[in-house]
Amino acid sequence: MNKLIIPVVAFSLLATSCVSKKKYAALESQYKDTKGNLQKTTLEKEALEGKFAKIENRVASYNEKINSLKSDNVTLQNENDVKLDMVGNTAVISNKTRETMRATLSKVDPTLLAKAKTLKDSLNLAISYNLKSKMNTEDLNNSDDINIDIDQTVVMISVSDKLLFNTASYRVKKGAFKLIKKLANIIKSEPSMDVMIEGHTDSRTINNANVQDNWDLSVKRATSIVRLLESKYKVDGSRLIASGRGSTMPLVENTTNANRAKNRRTRIVILPNLDKFFALLANDKPLDQ
């Protein structure tokens, strides 16, 4: 009986040993496959990381080029903004100011705009529009007797004498104070501007107890306005120039009453940096009234 049991146990142990080896071999094979796959995945990961690093470097390089181009564009734009356009033979306004001028001209009466044939005409219209807006001349009596013109770099505001003075007088009418205050506000708003007040008469001779001749009258009218600007409206006197031209610079022939009335005028001559002056006028913020 014992002899029979021993072979059975031996067979059972042998069978068990054979199954474990197969599982071991399978597991070992699976381990090798997994290890191989892991190594392959690691290599693929490293390869992808290398490619990603190259892409990142390329993106950084592109961004650097884009930023450089943006910087170049800003530099070129700034250079372009300060390039000057020409009015007559004198360079007076930058391209940036020209763009602002175009925006202003879009508000101008199309009938007047149609008459502007040159850059000088357009600048004259734009400055006239902005000056009249700043001065709000519509609330002044006889505002049509205020004319604004530009000659090269000089802005000229011509005011008929009937708005400022009585006949043959150099005392400023009180009704003109409102206009002179508006002029003072414009002058004070830009300290770089010098201003010349220029008196003009017609050709008829004058001689009385107060005035010796047309030269005398034109100068006294100019100094009356200068004194008012300085004493009443606090414009720095060092920026003001008083001059008289007598009857030497008529606008039209002194042959009729209407023509003589045109020649009797006071001209406010502003000598500004036109870029700064136009930028000041184009600003929507109103000057103090």
Side-chain angles (χ1 to χ4, degrees), residues 191-207:
S192 69
M193 296 188 301
D194 286 331
V195 180
M196 180 165 64
I197 310 300
E198 196 176 79
H200 294 261
T201 68
D202 61 31
S203 61
R204 291 177 301 180
T205 58
I206 181 172
N207 188 319

Side-chain angles (χ1 to χ4, degrees), residues 85-89 92-93 98 101-102 105 112-126 149-152:
D85 278 329
M86 306 295 289
V87 174
N89 296 319
V92 291
I93 62 169
R98 186 171 184 168
M101 182 180 74
R102 286 174 179 162
L105 291 175
L112 295 175
L113 193 58
K115 298 177 182 178
K117 305 300 182 184
T118 65
L119 176 59
K120 178 182 175 181
D121 294 338
S122 298
L123 183 60
N124 186 19
L125 267 179
D149 193 15
I150 177 172
D151 185 10
Q152 303 300 342

Side-chain angles (χ1 to χ4, degrees), residues 141-272:
N141 293 328
N142 301 311
S143 63
D144 289 342
D145 290 315
I146 300 172
N147 297 307
I148 298 167
D149 193 15
I150 177 172
D151 185 10
Q152 303 300 342
T153 60
V154 179
V155 177
M156 291 167 286
I157 306 170
S158 185
V159 184
S160 172
D161 76 328
K162 68 182 179 182
L163 296 182
L164 300 172
F165 306 101
N166 290 319
T167 303
S169 172
Y170 54 85
R171 295 185 182 278
V172 181
K173 292 179 179 179
K174 287 188 177 180
F177 286 8
K178 192 173 185 179
L179 170 61
I180 295 172
K181 181 181 179 182
K182 291 174 185 288
L183 289 170
N185 289 334
I186 290 173
I187 295 167
K188 289 191 294 184
S189 66
E190 180 42 66
S192 69
M193 296 188 301
D194 286 331
V195 180
M196 180 165 64
I197 310 300
E198 196 176 79
H200 294 261
T201 68
D202 61 31
S203 61
R204 291 177 301 180
T205 58
I206 181 172
N207 188 319
N208 58 41
N210 298 315
V211 177
Q212 183 176 346
D213 54 23
N214 284 328
W215 284 107
D216 193 20
L217 178 61
S218 64
V219 171
K220 285 181 174 178
R221 285 182 168 181
T223 54
S224 292
I225 294 176
V226 164
R227 288 192 187 100
L228 201 56
L229 287 170
E230 182 181 26
S231 62
K232 186 175 179 63
Y233 299 112
K234 309 307 177 186
V235 176
D236 185 353
S238 66
R239 299 173 57 200
L240 299 172
I241 305 165
S243 72
R245 306 305 294 265
S247 60
T248 62
M249 296 183 66
L251 295 175
V252 291
E253 293 292 330
N254 284 288
T255 52
T256 65
N257 288 335
N259 281 4
R260 283 190 287 270
K262 290 180 181 178
N263 291 329
R264 295 191 302 269
R265 67 200 187 278
T266 297
R267 192 165 66 163
I268 296 91
V269 183
I270 301 175
L271 313 171

Side-chain angles (χ1 to χ4, degrees), residues 24-200:
Y24 177 79
L27 289 171
E28 187 176 31
S29 176
Q30 185 177 355
Y31 168 73
K32 289 179 179 179
D33 290 342
T34 301
K35 186 177 180 181
N37 288 335
L38 180 60
Q39 290 175 338
K40 182 181 178 181
T41 301
T42 301
L43 292 174
E44 289 176 347
K45 176 177 177 290
E46 290 174 352
L48 288 173
E49 286 177 344
K51 289 180 180 179
F52 185 70
K54 289 181 180 179
I55 292 171
E56 280 188 324
N57 291 335
R58 194 177 302 171
V59 170
S61 176
Y62 285 154
N63 285 335
E64 185 177 346
K65 288 179 180 179
I66 289 170
N67 290 332
S68 176
L69 288 172
K70 285 181 178 178
S71 177
D72 290 344
N73 184 57
V74 170
T75 300
L76 289 171
Q77 183 63 48
N78 290 337
E79 289 176 356
N80 188 55
D81 285 345
V82 299
K83 287 179 181 176
L84 299 177
D85 278 329
M86 306 295 289
V87 174
N89 296 319
T90 307
V92 291
I93 62 169
S94 68
N95 290 345
K96 186 173 183 178
T97 297
R98 186 171 184 168
E99 290 301 314
T100 307
M101 182 180 74
R102 286 174 179 162
T104 298
L105 291 175
S106 67
K107 307 171 187 176
V108 172
D109 183 343
T111 304
L112 295 175
L113 193 58
K115 298 177 182 178
K117 305 300 182 184
T118 65
L119 176 59
K120 178 182 175 181
D121 294 338
S122 298
L123 183 60
N124 186 19
L125 267 179
I127 288 181
S128 296
Y129 177 89
N130 281 331
L131 259 175
K132 287 185 177 181
S133 296
K134 290 294 182 184
M135 292 169 58
N136 191 19
T137 58
E138 291 181 358
D139 65 353
L140 300 172
N141 293 328
N142 301 311
S143 63
D144 289 342
D145 290 315
I146 300 172
N147 297 307
I148 298 167
D149 193 15
I150 177 172
D151 185 10
Q152 303 300 342
T153 60
V154 179
V155 177
M156 291 167 286
I157 306 170
S158 185
V159 184
S160 172
D161 76 328
K162 68 182 179 182
L163 296 182
L164 300 172
F165 306 101
N166 290 319
T167 303
S169 172
Y170 54 85
R171 295 185 182 278
V172 181
K173 292 179 179 179
K174 287 188 177 180
F177 286 8
K178 192 173 185 179
L179 170 61
I180 295 172
K181 181 181 179 182
K182 291 174 185 288
L183 289 170
N185 289 334
I186 290 173
I187 295 167
K188 289 191 294 184
S189 66
E190 180 42 66
S192 69
M193 296 188 301
D194 286 331
V195 180
M196 180 165 64
I197 310 300
E198 196 176 79
H200 294 261

